Amino acid sequence: MSLIDLQGVRKSFGDVEALREVTFSVAFGEVFGLLGPNGAGKSTTVECIAGTLKPDAGRVSVLGVEPTGHRRFVRDRVGYQLQSAALPPALRVGEALDLFATFYSLPADVTELLDLVGLTGQRRRPFGALSGGQKQRLSVALALAGNPRVAIFDELTTGLDPQGRRDVRALIERVRDTGLTVLLVTHDLDEAARLCDRVAVIDRGRTRFVGTPDELIDSTRPASGAAHGLEDAYLRLLDPALSATRGEA
Ligand SMILES: Nc1ncnc2c1ncn2[C@@H]1O[C@H](COP(=O)(O)OP(=O)(O)OP(=O)(O)O)[C@@H](O)[C@H]1O
Ligand SMILES: [Mg+2]
């Protein structure tokens, strides 16, 4: 059984078809990347997995259950960091974690979480006084407050400086090493290449590719033998015209 399984998922908002055909599975223990342009449907997909949105058609299964019908079950097992998490600026780091821990049946140990994300020294700091990177590390800790089986991070490193991105990447590796499955939504192809065992590329609501980063690179490799990394592969997948105009001369 896969941890997460989506088959032919569709979801519209009024006349906006956010998801037309999304199909992929996430296995236990892998770091799975969800890639795709702005508006492709990544966050909508994540909300269908978390059970906060109900698909119009298709099937979503998380640990064998349909998420919207098992909200409590899924909340206890899927740690979800929202794309734009906002907390009251005066709320202290430790208070936020204590609060979030009360939402779950079997909460994680707050002291251990602070240690894991490197915020032990910031326990009494108000949220509003944290740097961007510290806020992101706190949002990782908040996603893990319920001792989940899978952690979903939606654009965790967007907006961070290179050092901050590197710190948060190292943190994602630590999270993976604790045995969690990680679903990572990112626009950073370098990050996906480094961290992800497999990726799905979503484009205008459809899954265009599912496989390892190397498979994506191989399947789009230019005949010219020009240097070709994951970002090149991703761009060629989404814009076949590039094959005709770049590097094929
Ligand atoms: N609650 C909503 N109401 C109306 N339209 C929505 C809603 N949520 C998403 N959409 C639309 O659905 C489409 C997919 O949005 P979604 O947020 O899933 O994209 P995304 O891939 O996460 O993009 P980004 O990379 O910019 O975060 C977009 O056209 C968006 O405007
Ligand atoms: Mg999004």
Side-chain angles (χ1 to χ4, degrees):
M1 185 182 73
S2 302
L3 204 168
I4 297 169
D5 193 37
L6 289 90
Q7 291 287 336
V9 174
R10 300 178 69 99
K11 178 71 191 178
S12 293
F13 300 103
D15 53 11
V16 177
E17 286 187 280
L19 305 182
R20 298 162 202 255
E21 213 291 295
V22 172
T23 299
F24 65 87
S25 298
V26 180
F28 284 89
E30 71 180 344
V31 178
F32 191 94
L34 204 50
L35 314 177
N38 291 130
K42 303 178 299 296
S43 295
T44 305
T45 300
V46 164
E47 289 203 56
C48 290
I49 294 168
T52 49
L53 271 182
K54 192 173 170 59
D56 301 329
R59 202 170 62 82
V60 180
S61 161
V62 176
L63 289 157
V65 307
E66 189 285 302
T68 61
H70 301 81
R71 291 289 291 276
R72 179 87 212 184
F73 177 92
V74 170
R75 178 149 46 95
D76 277 336
R77 289 161 183 81
V78 177
Y80 175 19
Q81 171 259 334
L82 293 156
Q83 188 170 353
S84 50
L87 291 171
L91 192 68
R92 295 177 197 280
V93 167
E95 291 170 345
L97 278 164
D98 288 337
L99 174 67
F100 272 59
T102 65
F103 299 162
Y104 303 99
S105 305
L106 291 168
D109 182 278
V110 168
T111 302
E112 281 176 20
L113 273 182
L114 285 166
D115 182 49
L116 177 75
V117 302
L119 287 177
T120 302
Q122 273 71 44
R123 189 173 192 144
R124 294 191 47 75
R125 273 204 147 195
F127 177 74
L130 299 179
S131 73
Q134 289 171 333
K135 282 181 181 158
Q136 290 306 64
R137 282 190 268 152
L138 176 59
S139 69
V140 171
L142 295 174
L144 303 182
N147 254 324
R149 298 292 304 277
V150 53
I152 304 182
F153 300 129
D154 196 345
E155 298 198 28
L156 203 50
T157 54
T158 303
L160 298 185
D161 65 22
Q163 188 58 48
R165 278 207 301 276
R166 182 179 292 187
D167 287 352
V168 171
R169 277 182 199 164
L171 173 56
I172 294 167
E173 285 172 338
R174 277 211 294 289
V175 169
R176 176 199 59 200
D177 293 344
T178 67
L180 257 81
T181 303
V182 177
L183 179 61
L184 197 64
V185 180
T186 184
H187 290 294
D188 185 334
L189 279 299
D190 187 39
E191 175 172 303
R194 280 160 198 264
L195 292 177
C196 296
D197 299 304
R198 292 192 306 134
V199 298
V201 180
I202 297 182
D203 181 28
R204 286 166 289 176
R206 289 182 207 278
T207 324
R208 292 285 307 279
F209 174 87
V210 183
T212 67
D214 280 345
E215 285 166 354
L216 178 53
I217 291 170
D218 284 342
S219 67
T220 53
R221 198 179 287 284
S224 66
H228 182 66
L230 187 61
E231 186 166 279
D232 305 297
Y234 168 87
L235 292 171
R236 287 172 75 99
L237 175 77
L238 295 183
D239 184 2
L242 281 176
S243 315
T245 55
R246 276 207 200 156
E248 302 282 48

